[in-house]
Amino acid sequence: MTPSLYTIEDSLQQLAELRDQADAEGDSEALKVIEAQIGEYLTKEAAKVDSYAGLIQRETANAEICRKEANRLLELARKREAFVEMLKQRALAVMEQFGVRVIESPKHRMRVQGNGGLEPLEIPMQDRLPEGLKEYTVKMPGDLYHWIWNAIKAVEEGLDLVPHPLAEKVMDEATSLPRNQAIREALKSGEDVPGARLLPRGKSLRIE
């Protein structure tokens, strides 16, 4: 966005350019001085308000242009990465089809290798998980929290406790997540965990 699109006084434009230069050079001291000068700009003359507002509008427009360009490049990067993954998967499929583990040329070497790390954990039916393999998150008002503590003590002491009016509603709104590490350990030890399973690590293509 060119300065000519806005009314920006030369002195303010120069300060803005000096600030950009100091920022690019990482000169924090110069940056403080210039920003203080920009801050004092409005105190000199009321007529300078238009120039100051013009600078704000220009930089706002520039920021939007940069944001759009960043989003465009990010989307382009995603597409390139997807294309690379497709190429790898296609080469991997062909090599596995013919039982070839390594292909070499004078410049490159493609090799099929097993994936390392943890076996992928798949939980297609979370509602079937045993309760001991779930963890719950509950949001509640403070008085209900303290009521629960009192309820625990009352149960231990065999006392009666008046039900809290929000208790049932809060429990109904509780959210649960699988305890992935505990599920993984249970499956690896040979236990049957309804709703969960470990998948093979799979293979990938390495290019050298």
Side-chain angles (χ1 to χ4, degrees):
M1 193 66 62
T2 58
S4 60
L5 294 179
Y6 300 100
T7 304
I8 302 176
E9 196 169 274
D10 289 344
S11 57
L12 182 58
Q13 174 61 30
Q14 290 172 2
L15 284 173
E17 292 172 355
L18 288 172
R19 185 203 174 282
D20 288 343
Q21 181 180 347
D23 189 35
E25 295 173 354
D27 190 340
S28 58
E29 291 301 319
L31 200 59
K32 290 179 182 178
V33 172
I34 296 168
E35 287 180 347
Q37 292 174 342
I38 293 175
E40 294 171 0
Y41 186 86
L42 280 179
T43 65
K44 295 180 179 179
E45 298 178 29
K48 297 185 184 294
V49 170
D50 286 341
S51 295
Y52 198 88
L55 179 61
I56 292 174
Q57 290 176 330
R58 187 194 74 179
E59 292 307 316
T60 300
N62 284 341
E64 182 60 23
I65 290 172
C66 292
R67 185 176 294 107
K68 289 180 178 179
E69 179 64 8
N71 290 337
R72 185 187 71 82
L73 291 174
L74 183 59
E75 181 59 26
L76 182 60
R78 290 195 188 102
K79 290 180 179 179
R80 294 295 185 186
E81 288 169 348
F83 183 52
V84 168
E85 185 61 24
M86 182 274 291
L87 292 173
K88 285 184 175 181
Q89 290 303 318
R90 184 167 294 180
L92 181 62
V94 171
M95 291 173 72
E96 288 198 304
Q97 180 182 354
F98 291 97
V100 178
R101 293 195 70 255
V102 179
I103 296 178
E104 293 186 80
S105 75
K107 292 185 178 180
H108 296 96
R109 183 170 185 258
M110 295 196 301
R111 176 165 57 90
V112 177
Q113 64 178 15
N115 293 330
L118 297 173
E119 296 165 288
L121 175 62
E122 184 179 54
I123 307 177
M125 293 173 285
Q126 185 173 320
D127 57 322
R128 292 188 57 196
L129 289 174
E131 287 300 309
L133 294 177
K134 299 177 185 177
E135 60 182 21
Y136 284 84
T137 300
V138 180
K139 292 185 178 181
M140 66 182 73
D143 61 333
L144 177 56
Y145 173 82
H146 291 291
W147 178 87
I148 291 174
W149 273 111
N150 291 332
I152 294 172
K153 293 179 182 178
V155 170
E156 292 174 348
E157 298 173 5
L159 302 175
D160 293 329
L161 193 68
V162 177
H164 194 287
L166 293 177
E168 186 174 348
K169 180 177 183 297
V170 167
M171 293 306 171
D172 287 342
E173 294 176 352
T175 58
S176 68
L177 290 173
R179 296 174 56 206
N180 290 343
Q181 184 59 31
I183 294 171
R184 189 184 299 278
E185 290 173 359
L187 289 170
K188 288 182 75 67
S189 67
E191 293 183 36
D192 179 35
V193 179
R197 61 190 176 194
L198 290 174
L199 301 176
R201 288 189 179 89
K203 298 177 181 178
S204 60
L205 184 70
R206 181 179 180 86
I207 299 176
E208 302 167 343

